Structures are given as C-alpha cells and as structure tokens.
Amino acid sequence: MKLSARNVLPGRIISVEKGTTTAHVKVELAPGLTVFSAITNEAVDDLALAVGDSVSAVIKSSDVMIGK
C-alpha cells in the first residue's frame, strides 16, 4: 500500500479500548514513546487490531501547533 502521508511511524499496539462507537488505540513507537489514535470500532474489527500487533501510525495534518 502506498500513501501520500510522509509521517509513517512503525510501532506495536499496547492497548485497544473499545467504547460505544469509538476505540482508543495506544501504539508504542519506542520505549516510553507512545501515540494514541481514536478510530471507529468497525475499523478495529476490519483490521483485526490486537495488543502486540505491529502497525504503522500514519500522521497526516495540515497544521502542527506547539504551545508553551
């Protein structure tokens, strides 16, 4: 699969928590470095996502904001 996004970060799923319609997936990119994704429960099922799976976090954004 090819993507236009350039920010593709490989990692491993460390938790999947399904809610009513949305799931929160926690991906460890490196020890102590994690990202979270909110996706539909249907996407979790379609991709058969589970703890321990190797995945890629794909980040596509027109804005990155930094606050201090």
Side-chain angles (χ1 to χ4, degrees):
M1 172 177 56
K2 290 186 176 186
L3 298 170
S4 62
R6 295 293 177 239
N7 301 308
V8 180
L9 309 172
R12 186 168 306 280
I13 294 177
I14 57 175
S15 71
V16 178
E17 296 178 17
K18 284 186 170 181
T20 305
T21 59
T22 304
H24 294 100
V25 181
K26 186 176 181 180
V27 178
E28 184 176 50
L29 305 175
L33 180 61
T34 57
V35 294
F36 293 85
S37 180
I39 61 175
T40 64
N41 289 333
E42 183 179 2
V44 170
D45 295 339
D46 288 347
L47 293 169
L49 298 179
V51 171
D53 285 352
S54 292
V55 295
S56 294
V58 181
I59 300 169
K60 178 81 173 179
S61 176
S62 58
D63 297 303
V64 176
M65 297 168 43
I66 298 175
K68 182 175 178 184

